[in-house]
Amino acid sequence: MRKTVCLLFAAFCFAAGALAAVAGVSVESFIRQRLSPQPKELEIFEGMYVLDGDSAVHISVSSPLSDSQKLAVADIFRRYWRLSPALEFSEDAANANLGPEGSETEISSGGIKIRARDFSALRQALKTLRQFAEAERDGPGQVFALAKIRDFASLEFRGIHLCVFPETTLEELEKYVRLAEYYKFNYVVIEPWGVFPFESHPEFAYADRKIDRKGFKKIIDYCRGAGIVPIPQLSVLGHGSQSRHLSGKHAVLAAHPELANIYEPLGWCYCMSSERAGKILKDLVSELHEFYGNPPYFHIGCDEAYDMATCYKCRAQNPASLFVGHLDKFRKFLRSRGARPIIWHDMLLDREDPRWAGEVASGTRDTAKALGALGKDIVIADWQYGGAENGGGFNTPKHFKEAGFDVLVCPWESDSGISALAKTAKDEKLFGFLQTTWHHIYGNKRYASFFRRAGDAAWNGGRPPAGGKFADSALTLIPELSHVAGDMKASYSAAGTSLSQISKSISD
Ligand SMILES: [Zn+2]
């Protein structure tokens, strides 16, 4: 009798403790802090459900899944939880109304039921459950708090821009892509910096730093399988050195001075008057576009074109006309290949214009005039790196939208800027969101901004993320990066946020 009372008391304490608090925060708050992106609606109820090998999971979608999609779902359960529950699939046409990538999940004492719009929505719902689950103490199952989760994507274009520097290993690139997938991005712009092994013009990469073609292709193919569209990038104006300008390195001219006539005299911009430059660039664009599987977008850069039109031939012409002609050439070329060009915005804003004070603008009165003459099928990627607290009102996306363009907002490492730009995209009904990372992706806490925070901001249109004791702590990244590292069987260097635990990269 005494033993029974003790057991009942212990069970009561366990239940009460589990519902009331975990290390000083409520259970609901703790669960919310473990989820990124946050679901649109989350209700937590008293009690728990244990998913194990004997469980059945009910899944309905708006139209039948293919056999390979069903196998992929079973594989997700094995990969996430080492479990093979019975999966019961059904169709419900009403699920088509759940919103973009939308789903409703009910976890009750009777089991887990997922209503998803389609296969893509189902995968997104399962990603949330992966973060939601707790490993069963001393058992093989997964414990879920009883809950109802309703979710859908606020922005339909959620991209992240990744550079492949000579210093980037393919294993790290794979990790970035998998992290993008993990946090529900659905586009990834991958920009090789002097490392792509071009067959048409092998001289357009550092001879000793070309990436392995097969390994790179595998990553591109992985994107497609994961529901992410890989977008190639090659700048066709500035950044022609394919190197950071402060480094003084040049992927082409250092080894091939015979190609100087396709660049402006300072070697940063390609020459817009050179027919040879135009022909080579089209070859490079074609090759990259094909390598990435001919996706519907191609990013042609065109930012920070500091020395554009400075050669003797260009400077005799109208810079705005040259600029428009150059962009239009590549726009038409890409349209003929079935793709829309994406360009960075900054040359299209006059840096002296007081309307853009405090915002990124690299152009002149002449180059800004080009905006009115550009084809409206160009997507403008508006990169604004300030924080919302710095008076960065982000007026520029609206400016481009009103000029008739599809606009991607592109934050960098300011958390407030990430949220504010995503909110701007949602409020202004813009084309989407493209997180930039640049060289700051190497190690340190910015992973929380680039992947976790940005993924949430893009999915939820900048809605404030969950706050709390663990929300801004590096601890939340541990299970998430462990999931990704485990999925890809990452080496020590590629696991986590840094190449090593003890390095300068952690503090800068
Ligand atoms: Zn020139």
Side-chain angles (χ1 to χ4, degrees):
M1 177 68 187
R2 195 169 169 186
K3 193 176 173 189
T4 310
V5 170
C6 284
L7 278 173
L8 283 172
F9 180 70
F12 171 78
C13 290
F14 175 68
L19 284 166
V22 179
V25 296
S26 77
V27 169
E28 182 168 342
S29 168
F30 183 62
I31 290 172
R32 283 184 184 279
Q33 291 175 57
R34 295 182 59 214
L35 304 181
S36 184
Q38 285 282 299
K40 288 288 183 296
E41 292 173 21
L42 171 66
E43 279 182 278
I44 304 289
F45 305 103
E46 192 168 327
M48 283 165 278
Y49 173 71
V50 182
L51 179 77
D52 58 28
D54 298 326
S55 300
V57 178
H58 301 266
I59 294 168
S60 76
V61 283
S62 58
S63 56
L65 296 181
S66 67
D67 287 345
S68 66
Q69 287 172 329
K70 287 179 183 173
L71 287 174
V73 176
D75 184 55
I76 287 172
F77 276 86
R78 276 193 297 275
R79 183 158 54 89
Y80 285 5
W81 299 303
R82 299 158 305 286
L83 293 172
S84 299
L87 301 177
E88 295 173 0
F89 293 100
S90 61
E91 288 89 49
D92 182 349
N95 290 10
N97 303 320
L98 291 169
E101 297 165 72
S103 64
E104 285 180 1
T105 301
E106 187 181 343
I107 306 166
S108 69
S109 55
I112 298 177
K113 287 184 185 169
I114 305 171
R115 295 179 60 225
R117 179 170 166 153
D118 51 21
F119 178 61
S120 158
L122 174 58
R123 286 202 295 198
Q124 304 295 32
L126 288 169
K127 288 175 196 172
T128 301
L129 288 183
R130 189 185 201 184
Q131 296 176 333
F132 194 103
E134 291 181 51
E136 185 185 17
R137 304 300 96 159
D138 306 315
Q142 294 291 323
V143 179
F144 294 82
L146 304 190
K148 276 189 184 168
I149 304 168
R150 184 171 163 268
D151 210 1
F152 61 90
S154 293
L155 301 179
E156 294 193 32
F157 187 115
R158 305 180 304 279
I160 187 163
H161 175 272
L162 301 170
C163 301
V164 190
F165 295 106
E167 292 80 5
T168 310
T169 65
L170 283 178
E171 193 184 18
E172 285 170 309
L173 180 64
E174 180 184 345
K175 178 177 67 174
Y176 304 154
V177 165
R178 284 177 179 267
L179 281 166
E181 173 193 9
Y182 189 87
Y183 294 108
K184 302 184 181 174
F185 290 93
N186 56 357
Y187 289 86
V188 56
V189 177
I190 302 180
E191 181 182 8
W193 284 53
V195 296
F196 188 79
F198 286 106
E199 287 174 342
S200 57
H201 298 279
E203 59 277 29
F204 278 76
Y206 291 104
D208 60 341
R209 294 301 176 106
K210 293 184 185 182
I211 47 176
D212 175 63
R213 206 177 171 85
K214 271 193 190 156
F216 192 37
K217 185 69 178 168
K218 221 169 134 185
I219 293 173
I220 298 294
D221 291 343
Y222 179 85
C223 290
R224 294 190 179 285
I228 297 175
V229 177
I231 301 177
Q233 176 161 354
L234 180 88
S235 190
V236 299
L237 189 56
H239 287 269
S241 67
Q242 299 190 65
S243 306
R244 301 189 64 219
H245 78 276
L246 294 172
S247 73
K249 292 182 189 292
H250 202 297
V252 181
L253 289 182
H256 295 280
E258 73 279 11
L259 283 162
N261 64 0
I262 69 163
Y263 292 95
E264 295 300 333
L266 298 180
W268 180 248
C269 276
Y270 293 103
C271 175
M272 296 184 285
S273 302
S274 161
E275 284 181 23
R276 186 185 186 200
K279 185 181 175 318
I280 290 174
L281 286 168
K282 281 183 180 176
D283 291 343
L284 302 179
V285 165
S286 294
E287 193 176 335
L288 269 187
H289 190 228
E290 198 176 326
F291 190 87
Y292 283 57
N294 298 310
Y297 303 98
F298 192 110
H299 199 318
I300 53 172
C302 296
D303 57 324
E304 299 176 327
Y306 304 127
D307 61 337
M308 67 184 270
T310 48
C311 78
Y312 69 90
K313 200 166 176 187
C314 286
R315 62 183 182 250
Q317 301 176 66
N318 177 303
S321 308
L322 261 180
F323 189 38
V324 169
H326 191 70
L327 290 176
D328 203 46
K329 179 164 60 186
F330 288 97
R331 181 187 71 82
K332 285 180 180 148
F333 181 65
L334 281 165
R335 291 318 302 252
S336 76
R337 294 190 56 91
R340 293 177 67 184
I342 301 174
I343 62 170
W344 296 122
H345 81 287
D346 51 304
M347 297 307 294
L348 298 169
L349 296 179
D350 177 4
R351 58 181 173 266
E352 305 293 334
D353 188 328
R355 286 179 297 170
W356 320 131
E359 300 189 21
V360 174
S362 310
T364 62
R365 204 187 321 176
D366 277 333
T367 61
K369 278 183 202 155
L371 186 67
L374 292 181
K376 300 292 190 282
D377 46 358
I378 292 176
V379 179
I380 296 186
D382 185 348
W383 53 281
Q384 297 295 340
Y385 294 162
E389 72 279 5
N390 298 328
F394 305 118
N395 299 315
T396 53
K398 202 174 172 189
H399 169 69
F400 292 119
K401 181 193 167 193
E402 286 173 352
F405 291 89
D406 283 335
V407 182
L408 290 170
V409 293
C410 311
W412 188 23
E413 54 193 347
S414 160
D415 281 348
S416 65
I418 289 169
S419 296
L421 280 168
K423 188 173 183 307
T424 302
K426 179 170 175 281
D427 292 349
E428 295 289 338
K429 297 185 172 52
L430 302 178
F431 194 63
F433 176 98
L434 179 64
Q435 176 66 39
T436 66
T437 59
W438 307 113
H439 55 298
H440 284 189
I441 202 167
Y442 287 87
N444 77 33
K445 64 184 179 184
R446 291 195 179 91
Y447 266 58
S449 302
F450 292 159
F451 293 105
R452 195 174 207 273
R453 179 134 188 160
D456 183 44
W459 181 266
N460 287 313
R463 191 178 69 172
K469 178 178 175 181
F470 297 107
D472 293 321
S473 151
L475 289 173
T476 53
L477 287 177
I478 295 176
E480 298 167 7
L481 283 157
S482 297
H483 287 158
V484 169
D487 287 349
M488 63 182 280
K489 299 179 175 56
S491 69
Y492 170 73
S493 296
T497 63
S498 305
L499 293 172
S500 90
Q501 294 173 64
I502 302 163
S503 84
K504 191 169 171 289
S505 70
I506 289 175
S507 61
D508 65 10

